[in-house]
Structure formats: C-alpha cells, structure tokens
Amino acid sequence: MHVSDLQRIRYTYSPKLPPAIAGKITTIDVQKGGPTESVADQDALKEVFAHSYGQPIVELIEGATEHEAPKRVIGAILSGGQAPGGHNVIAGLFDALKAANPASTLLGFRGGPSGLLENRAMEITSKLIDTYRNTGGFDIIGSGRTKIESAEDFAQAAKVCRELQLDGLIVIGGDDSNTNAALLAEYFRSEGVATKVIGVPKTIDGDLRNEYIEASFGFDTATKTYSELIGNIGRDAASARKYWHFIRLMGRSASHIALECALQTHPNVCIVSEEVEAKSWTLHDVVEQICDSVRARAAKGMNFGIVLVPEGLIEFIPEIKKLITSLNDLLAHEADAFGRLESDGDRVSFVSQRLSDDLKATFSSLPAGIQSQLLDDRDPHGNVQVSRIETEKMLIEMVEAQLKQDAGTGVYKGKFSGLAHFFGYEGRCAFPSNFDADYCYSLGYTAFLLLASDLTGYIASIRNISRPAGEWKAGGIPLTMLMNMEQRHGSRKPVIRKALVELDGAPFREFASKRDSWKVETSFSSPGAIQYFGPPEVCDQPTLTLKLERS
Ligand code: FBP
C-alpha cells in the first residue's frame, strides 16, 4: 500500500502506557482478587468450564524483584470485523514480548481463526511491525469470521499449537471470538496443552464491555469518524434545506454507535433499538416517531433534517424479531430445498408458504427488497447479516407513504425528500485516534504480561480510561465472568453476554433529556475530523459515552 504523509508521521507516535506497566517489564507483578462468578447460569458454566471457571480478577502492579523471562513463542489472531487499533494491539504485544526477551517470537495467524486451524502462521518482525504502527486496518495478517466449533476444530487447534510450541495465543475479537477464546483455554487445560489463551476486547459496536472492560477498542475512532460525516451532512442539510437524511450506522445488535453519534451531532431523530424493544414499538410506531419530527419541522418551514438509525433496529422490533427467529429455524431446517431456489421471488414465496399466519402478515408488510435481504445467508455464528439490510431505505419509503396519506387528508402540507446513507465500513479502518492508539497498545502489552504471569482464559483489561492515560490501570478479567448460557442453533451454549444500551444509563438519559428539542429545532453539531496533533482537549478526549458512564 502507498504510504501517505500522515501514515509516515503516525509511525513515530509513541503510545502511552498505564504507569504500572510502563517501567521495567521483568519486574511487573500480578495482584489477584478473590474468586469470581459468571453473570448468570453459574452451575451450567461451572460444568462447561470445569478447569477455568471462577478465576480471580488480576491487576498488574510494579514489583521490586526481577522475574525470569524465558524465550517464548506467541501467536496472535485478529478475528471478526475490523476495528481501528488492531495493529497497535499487535505492536504492544510485540514490544512487550521483545522487551522481556529479544529472542522470543511473535507469529500472526493469517485470515483469522481459520489461519490457526490451517496453520497459516507468519512471523511478525520488527521491520514489519514498524510499517503498521498507529495505522488502521487489520491487513498486517488479515481477519476472518470462522468459528472454532466442532470437536475436530478444537483438536486441530491443539495440534497446531503443539506443533508450533506456542506458549500463548492472543485472540483479538468481539463477544463471539472471546467466547471461542474461553472455550479454547478450557480445552487446552483439560487436554494438557501448554498454550495459554488471552482475549482482547475488540469491536466498533461497543457491546463487549462491563464494569471492568470499560470499552472495546475501535468504538472511539469509528464513532468519531461517523460523527464527523454526520456533522458535515448536518451542515449541508441546514444549507440546502431540502433533504431529510436517513443515516444507518453499524452496530449489529446494540445501538451504542448511534447513541454516541447522536450525542456528538444532535440529529432530529435517533432511534435506539433497545428502547424500541423495551416499549414494544411496532414498525409503524418507529415510523410515527420520525413523522412527528418531519411534521413539526415542516410546520416551521424546515423541510430537512437528520435521522439516525442503528443497523440492528430490525431485530429489536418485537414483531420482526419473532419473524427472524422463525426464518432462522426455517432456513436451517429446509436449507437444501431453499438452496435450490434460484430467484428472489421463489425464495420469498417458499418461505411465506411455511410461516404462521401472523408472521406471514408481518413478512408481507415489508418492502420486497427487505424481504429478500432477510433471507440472505447468516454469518458463521448464525446471525442475520444486518449490515446488508437497508433499513434506512425502508424507513424512507414508509415515512413517505405515511406523509402522502397525511397530505391527502390535509394534515400535512410540507415537502419530503429522503436521502439514504449507510456508515459502517467508512469508520472501521480509520487511523486510530490517539485514544485508540494508546488503548490498543496498552491492551497488547497487557495481554503479553498476563501470559507471562501464566494466566489463561482471561481478557486484557485497561481501566479508568475516561481519565488521562497517566491514571490508567492494567489487568485481566476471567472470561467466564462475562458469560451466560444462550440458545444458539437450537441448543444452550455458553456465550459472552452482549452489553446493550441501558435505558437507565447516563448516555441514554442525556440523550432523552435533549431529544424533544432536537426533534423540532435545528441543533446540529459538527465535531469535525479526528485530530492527531494539537492540544489534548481536541486530541485526547474519550467518547461522550465513556465520559458520561464514568463521570
Ligand atoms: P465485530 O462484532 O466482529 O467487531 O463486527 C462488527 C461489525 O462491524 C458490525 O457492526 C457489522 O454488522 C458487521 O461487523 C459487518 O460484518 P462484515 O464485515 O462481515 O460485513
């Protein structure tokens, strides 16, 4: 890839580390807390994780005595969707590993978890890592969504780790990938495989978090990138005064991205999926929320505005959620017959004939494009690929139809012209903000220190991150602490519980206190582009979500 001037200058940025781990690496100690419990289903999880359930939370602290630092071989996997800062996790891991013992080796598995199963390992050298420091993307080794699932997969992973004599394996991923990391750690322990497994919390979606994992990496940069674009569109809308912009934002389930962008940019409407579900809103209710704003603004002569739509919305509307669950079962059970159908029309009528009457009515009320998008392939974890469902276009169509009806009865006299946007891939590989550059480097560094402390089945945790890096703390959280049992592919499986937007949490309450005025007035805010050089108040600020949650 061509090296831009910004990229060249970013290579030289030195990420900040939490003070306790910034000193001599071979003197760092771990301080252990008491035993822990999972978030739910403790008995079932104790059975699944017989060798790794209930481990203590650990904090890394400065020690006084020197530890041995044997030569180690460590492997790293980037898993799932890209998130800004992945390269810095690897850089932090590399620097810590080499600082402890320069003869150690870091391997990267190419193409995600399948790279481990197929033993596609490559050595990460100093020369290589220096051309990826502080850059976006996962292209140093690539990523993938393969799930390590069957008994054969686990045995194959163990075989490769033994062959490569891996002391440790770092899995950089979201909730599903870290669930995999926990299962691998358990399997390796039960089979006497020496490789220790440590996870790193990645996902722009921001839904892998709890009291100890204050944010997943990438959320900061991605939301700042989207907010810049939304802010620009707001200025355009207020200048041209003729379009309603419907902007769908990534976030497969949770609405954290949409909410953070709303706090940054003050749109007229931001739908929050978790509220839709909690209040059992129908699709018609969602459309009405938007129409209310369009009508109120039209009455003031403002036929323009901004609507933010979280990409996961469709799965949170109770009637559509039921439909999707039924479609998932149907497509799983009739996969062969369904796979033989050639046209969208055939697929839609095949499914319609097999749905119950109420679900059939819901399905046929949806625009044709959405019907066929709901039948697209699921991802390897069984999820509907919501990034392919054009909810923003569906809402424009439905709002337009409602306003036409209103116009017919004289209720509405304004104009409405909707424009659709989808922001997702635009933000996933941006140059990491200073926050993400520091946070990710610290996570990688911490992941090594957890392995070097002989821990397995942990996820790296950096805490106090709403404060400047000089106040950050590093440590590890047992992965079993984040888990519960959920229904997946027809059976109960251990999984990391997704952190959704809490309606009584500070970020949502802040939004709820402002939205009535945003709905009618033009209050757009334009935060501008991420700044990498300059005063800390513009370069080193965390997200509003983090500030509000931790204030
Ligand atoms: P992860 O959960 O793996 O981090 O991915 C999140 C995400 O960016 C979602 O926001 C989006 O729905 C999905 O990935 C898109 O996946 P793909 O890259 O496979 O199109």
Side-chain angles (χ1 to χ4, degrees):
M1 263 198 214
H2 173 74
V3 177
S4 66
D5 290 340
L6 177 63
Q7 182 164 335
R8 202 179 349 264
I9 290 173
R10 284 303 277 174
Y11 287 159
T12 61
Y13 175 77
S14 290
K16 304 174 201 78
L17 281 173
I21 60 171
K24 192 164 189 215
I25 197 155
T26 43
T27 59
I28 295 164
D29 278 334
V30 286
Q31 186 170 286
K32 296 187 179 175
T36 56
E37 296 280 9
S38 58
V39 285
D41 307 311
Q42 290 81 9
D43 290 340
L45 286 161
K46 265 180 212 164
E47 252 180 63
V48 181
F49 294 97
H51 301 83
S52 52
Y53 184 87
Q55 306 190 88
I57 293 174
V58 300
E59 188 178 335
L60 295 167
I61 53 169
E62 282 171 82
T65 50
E66 182 97 9
H67 308 299
E68 253 184 60
K71 182 172 141 185
R72 294 185 171 91
V73 183
I74 290 184
I77 300 177
L78 288 164
S79 182
Q82 283 67 248
H87 289 154
N88 268 27
V89 176
I90 296 182
L93 182 59
F94 178 89
D95 289 351
L97 177 73
K98 295 286 186 182
N101 186 332
S104 292
T105 306
L106 179 61
L107 300 176
F109 289 102
R110 277 181 289 192
S114 64
L116 170 68
L117 299 180
E118 292 158 21
N119 194 355
R120 276 184 274 122
M122 59 181 262
E123 183 173 351
I124 304 211
T125 60
S126 166
K127 193 165 167 221
L128 180 69
I129 195 69
D130 284 351
T131 58
Y132 285 94
R133 290 180 189 272
N134 308 303
T135 61
F138 278 7
D139 42 312
I140 186 168
I141 49 176
S143 184
R145 289 196 184 276
T146 303
K147 193 171 179 185
I148 298 176
E149 196 166 28
S150 64
E152 292 76 41
D153 292 344
F154 281 95
Q156 174 61 15
K159 181 170 171 270
V160 173
C161 288
R162 278 193 172 115
E163 272 168 20
L164 294 172
Q165 298 184 351
L166 282 195
D167 297 288
L169 177 67
I170 306 292
V171 179
I172 304 162
D175 51 342
D176 287 329
S177 314
N178 274 288
T179 296
N180 254 197
L183 290 164
L184 270 179
E186 172 65 25
Y187 180 80
F188 287 176
R189 266 201 173 170
S190 69
E191 295 294 311
V193 180
T195 312
K196 310 272 183 300
V197 187
I198 300 292
V200 174
K202 169 236 73 167
T203 177
I204 61 161
D205 293 3
D207 56 7
L208 174 52
R209 73 164 103 162
N210 66 7
E211 194 190 334
Y212 307 98
I213 311 293
E214 298 179 6
S216 54
F217 79 75
F219 178 73
D220 186 272
T221 310
T223 52
K224 284 175 178 158
T225 306
Y226 304 141
S227 297
E228 179 203 348
L229 299 175
I230 299 164
N232 295 350
I233 290 183
R235 270 251 135 87
D236 193 287
S239 308
R241 302 177 71 88
K242 59 179 177 179
Y243 296 123
W244 270 87
H245 295 270
F246 282 55
I247 305 170
R248 174 165 52 108
L249 291 155
M250 261 193 183
R252 202 175 53 204
S253 289
S255 308
H256 298 295
I257 293 181
L259 183 57
E260 170 66 21
C261 292
L263 293 168
Q264 293 281 354
T265 64
H266 313 174
N268 302 105
V269 180
C270 171
I271 306 293
V272 173
S273 308
E274 290 81 346
E275 183 179 28
V276 171
E277 184 170 52
K279 297 187 173 163
S280 296
W281 284 351
T282 61
L283 188 51
H284 179 256
D285 295 330
V286 173
V287 170
E288 264 311 300
Q289 290 288 326
I290 303 170
C291 286
D292 270 356
S293 175
V294 177
R295 291 185 198 111
R297 287 175 61 76
K300 293 180 150 215
M302 297 184 286
N303 292 303
F304 63 93
I306 299 218
V307 178
L308 301 188
V309 181
E311 91 177 337
L313 171 66
I314 197 121
E315 285 192 289
F316 282 76
I317 300 173
E319 78 220 56
I320 301 186
K321 188 177 181 174
K322 264 196 244 153
L323 171 68
I324 290 176
T325 310
S326 187
L327 289 176
N328 287 349
D329 285 349
L330 208 155
L331 296 185
H333 291 131
E334 307 233 24
D336 291 343
F338 184 78
R340 285 194 290 274
L341 302 170
E342 279 177 6
S343 74
D344 276 355
D346 288 348
R347 280 189 276 269
V348 167
S349 67
F350 176 91
V351 161
S352 299
Q353 284 159 19
R354 288 162 177 79
L355 287 170
S356 62
D357 286 348
D358 57 330
L359 294 181
K360 189 173 173 171
T362 307
F363 190 54
S364 54
S365 71
L366 299 171
I370 300 288
Q371 288 179 353
S372 45
Q373 285 161 15
L374 282 177
L375 302 181
D376 278 349
D377 292 342
R378 272 45 183 164
D379 76 7
H381 298 271
N383 305 308
V384 171
Q385 303 200 50
V386 281
S387 60
R388 300 198 196 158
I389 300 181
E390 296 173 318
T391 335
E392 71 287 15
K393 292 192 181 157
M394 173 183 81
L395 289 173
I396 290 178
E397 248 181 67
M398 297 179 86
V399 166
E400 205 163 20
Q402 181 59 50
L403 294 173
K404 246 188 209 147
Q405 231 182 54
D406 292 356
T409 56
V411 176
Y412 179 69
K413 297 195 174 70
K415 292 181 193 142
F416 176 78
S417 177
L419 286 182
H421 312 260
F422 169 42
F423 296 154
Y425 301 99
E426 293 79 350
R428 295 202 313 186
C429 286
F431 275 102
S433 59
N434 288 350
F435 173 90
D436 267 328
D438 296 345
Y439 182 44
C440 291
Y441 188 80
S442 301
L443 284 167
Y445 214 87
T446 299
F448 167 75
L449 286 163
L450 297 175
L451 282 180
S453 309
D454 259 354
L455 297 166
T456 188
Y458 276 78
I459 184 164
S461 145
I462 307 292
R463 297 177 66 189
N464 220 17
I465 53 176
S466 60
R467 308 284 311 149
E471 296 173 39
W472 290 3
K473 291 179 189 313
I477 306 301
L479 280 160
T480 54
M481 237 186 124
L482 314 181
M483 302 185 95
N484 66 173
M485 302 293 287
E486 287 176 22
Q487 195 73 10
R488 294 279 168 99
H489 298 298
S491 60
R492 302 272 294 161
K493 298 258 167 75
V495 287
I496 290 179
R497 185 191 271 175
K498 263 191 201 304
L500 301 178
V501 168
E502 289 174 9
L503 302 185
D504 57 359
F508 183 81
R509 281 191 281 119
E510 170 72 10
F511 162 69
S513 72
K514 302 275 168 61
R515 65 174 161 186
D516 286 348
S517 113
W518 295 351
K519 193 171 193 173
V520 185
E521 307 305 332
T522 302
S523 322
F524 307 150
S525 162
S526 189
I530 295 176
Q531 303 295 312
Y532 300 94
F533 312 99
E537 53 283 21
V538 293
C539 294
D540 293 333
Q541 293 305 308
T543 57
L544 289 173
T545 302
L546 199 49
K547 279 191 185 172
L548 288 162
E549 274 178 351
R550 302 284 152 184
S551 63

